[in-house]
């Protein structure tokens, strides 16, 4: 902890949501429910994809890994936030803070590449269905997934190392509910210009690269759909892509609003609603977006429920 304005900070206090003590019970209940549903939904989807051989296809492998990353993001942020609602000690050490940011950045970066891979998968499935198994082999799918994890690890490590070069003095209160780079930059007594430049270069490049893949894939998909003569074929193709496009729009929209728009040094409260959306709400919604509109997943779930029901009747 800091002793005066000139001593270095080795611990921080997360003060996000703490300005409304009258709402802490309600907020705790809401976020606890979101956390439970998120973990059950995403880990359930991961287990479903892992256990069922009929789901061992590129689309579902990407989907299972996306659900795993959503769980990782939620686990990195929510438990500490829930603890702070009723804890007098809301401190988080510098290294705990770095670890929290690492797992958050890792999960979000992997998500970017997985969503781009899923867009390419849909492009191949709709635009070149006869070549699908050649162009989207399991080997390529595994390589793309591993590449996403490697990129996520490197990207998060770069920013953690750059954060550790900063010194934090004066105020040690982070006006946020988790350790994100923007609130940390505001507390730095060293110039975070290099950090901001690296975020612009690396994070910007990742988002431009993955968004470009998504846009090109969907432009080709739309062009192919419009050339279809069958209304039934058009409807089926649009239905196949709708859930993925909705998830992409929410994810990239919130990231662009958070990290690309100009930020003031004093902003803090304005970051929180957007951060809640992409760290808590999107991981909550993704399992429902993908399962409720996916007949294959629904059929697998129905099959499991029937087996469970018949097993209970036999007992």
């Amino acid at each position: 902890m800091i002793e005066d304005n000139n001593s270095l900070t080795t611990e921080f206090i997360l003060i996000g949501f703490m300005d409304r003590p009258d709402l802490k019970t309600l907020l705790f209940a809401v976020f606890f429910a979101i956390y439970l549903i998120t973990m059950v939904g995403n880990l359930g989807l991961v287990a479903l994809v892992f256990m069922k051989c009929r789901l061992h296809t590129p689309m579902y492998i990407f989907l299972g890994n996306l659900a795993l990353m959503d769980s990782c993001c939620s686990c990195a942020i929510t438990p500490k936030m829930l603890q702070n609602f009723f804890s007098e000690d809301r401190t988080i050490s510098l290294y705990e803070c770095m670890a929290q940011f690492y797992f958050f950045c890792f999960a979000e970066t992997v998500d970017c590449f997985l969503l781009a891979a899923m867009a390419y998968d849909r492009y191949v499935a709709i635009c070149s269905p006869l070549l699908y198994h050649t162009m989207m082999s399991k080997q390529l799918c595994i390589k793309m997934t591993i590449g996403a994890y490697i990129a996520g690890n490197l990207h998060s490590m770069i920013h953690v190392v750059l954060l550790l070069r900063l010194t934090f003095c004066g105020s040690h209160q982070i006006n946020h509910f988790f350790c994100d780079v923007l609130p940390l930059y505001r507390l730095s007594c060293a110039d975070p210009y290099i950090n901001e430049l690296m975020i612009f270069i690396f994070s910007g490049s990742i988002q431009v690269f993955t968004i470009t893949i998504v846009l090109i894939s969907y432009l080709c998909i739309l062009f192919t759909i419009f050339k279809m003569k069958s209304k039934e074929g058009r409807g089926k193709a649009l239905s196949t892509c709708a859930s993925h496009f909705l998830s992409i729009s929410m994810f990239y929209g919130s990231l662009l609003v958070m990290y690309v728009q100009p930020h003031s040094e004093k902003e803090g409260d304005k970051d929180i609603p957007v951060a809640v959306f992409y760290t808590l709400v999107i991981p909550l919604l993704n399992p429902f977006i993908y399962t409720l509109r996916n007949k294959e997943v629904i059929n697998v779930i129905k099959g499991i429920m029937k087996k469970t029901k018949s097993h209970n009747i036999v007992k």
Side-chain angles (χ1 to χ4, degrees):
M1 294 288 290
I2 58 171
E3 298 296 333
D4 53 55
N5 287 336
N6 295 319
S7 60
L8 298 181
T9 301
T10 58
E11 289 185 342
F12 302 101
I13 297 178
L14 296 168
I15 62 171
F17 300 118
M18 301 308 155
D19 57 336
R20 294 298 301 273
D22 53 316
L23 294 177
K24 69 177 183 179
T25 303
L26 175 62
L27 290 173
F28 176 86
V30 169
F31 290 132
F32 183 66
I34 288 174
Y35 179 61
L36 285 181
I37 297 170
T38 299
M39 296 307 294
V40 171
N42 282 291
L43 293 180
L45 190 54
V46 171
L48 204 64
V49 172
F50 179 77
M51 291 188 301
K52 295 298 176 180
C53 293
R54 63 191 288 189
L55 298 182
H56 291 177
T57 61
M59 183 176 74
Y60 295 108
I61 291 172
F62 292 139
L63 181 56
N65 282 280
L66 184 70
L68 183 63
M69 287 300 98
D70 284 343
S71 301
C72 176
C73 180
S74 188
C75 281
I77 293 170
T78 313
K80 182 65 177 177
M81 180 186 67
L82 293 174
Q83 177 191 338
N84 288 343
F85 277 113
F86 295 103
S87 174
E88 293 183 4
D89 180 16
R90 301 190 185 106
T91 61
I92 181 170
S93 73
L94 175 64
Y95 293 106
E96 286 176 328
C97 196
M98 295 301 104
Q100 189 182 58
F101 174 72
Y102 168 82
F103 286 109
F104 160 72
C105 183
F106 172 74
E108 296 299 300
T109 305
V110 175
D111 274 357
C112 285
F113 285 101
L114 288 175
L115 288 169
M118 291 169 74
Y120 176 72
D121 175 77
R122 292 300 85 205
Y123 155 73
V124 176
I126 292 173
C127 300
S128 304
L130 298 179
L131 298 175
Y132 180 78
H133 294 291
T134 303
M135 295 176 66
M136 279 302 298
S137 63
K138 284 188 178 181
Q139 290 79 8
L140 177 60
C141 172
I142 291 170
K143 288 178 182 178
M144 292 171 77
T145 304
I146 293 173
Y149 280 96
I150 293 172
N153 180 61
L154 291 175
H155 184 231
S156 54
M157 284 299 297
I158 287 170
H159 292 304
V160 167
V161 170
L162 288 171
L163 278 171
L164 289 173
R165 66 172 279 277
L166 299 177
T167 52
F168 302 95
C169 54
S171 173
H172 58 295
Q173 293 185 340
I174 298 178
N175 191 14
H176 216 302
F177 59 92
F178 74 100
C179 290
D180 199 3
V181 286
L182 300 178
L184 287 171
Y185 290 167
R186 297 180 189 118
L187 298 183
S188 174
C189 50
D191 186 2
Y193 172 75
I194 293 177
N195 297 64
E196 293 172 341
L197 181 63
M198 291 300 102
I199 277 197
F200 178 76
I201 292 172
F202 288 105
S203 300
S205 298
I206 288 170
Q207 290 197 36
V208 168
F209 174 71
T210 53
I211 288 175
T212 300
I213 292 175
V214 169
L215 291 177
I216 292 174
S217 297
Y218 273 97
L219 284 174
C220 293
I221 287 170
L222 288 174
F223 185 71
T224 302
I225 289 173
F226 287 140
K227 289 198 301 182
M228 291 180 179
K229 296 180 180 180
S230 168
K231 288 184 179 180
E232 185 179 345
R234 287 183 186 178
K236 186 177 180 181
L238 287 170
S239 177
T240 302
C241 299
S243 57
H244 182 237
F245 189 74
L246 176 61
S247 179
I248 284 176
S249 301
M250 294 191 304
F251 179 77
Y252 281 112
S254 57
L255 282 184
L256 290 172
V257 169
M258 187 70 183
Y259 294 105
V260 176
Q261 67 173 349
H263 282 269
S264 165
E265 289 293 318
K266 296 182 180 179
E267 279 183 344
D269 295 334
K270 293 180 182 178
D271 299 340
I272 292 178
V274 181
V276 167
F277 187 74
Y278 73 77
T279 59
L280 302 178
V281 177
I282 290 179
L284 168 73
L285 295 178
N286 274 343
F288 297 100
I289 291 172
Y290 285 109
T291 56
L292 293 178
R293 296 187 59 87
N294 192 305
K295 291 181 180 179
E296 187 75 19
V297 176
I298 290 173
N299 289 336
V300 170
I301 293 173
K302 285 180 178 179
I304 293 173
M305 291 175 66
K306 285 180 181 178
K307 285 183 180 179
T308 305
K309 190 179 290 185
S310 60
H311 182 69
N312 291 334
I313 291 171
V314 169
K315 279 187 173 182

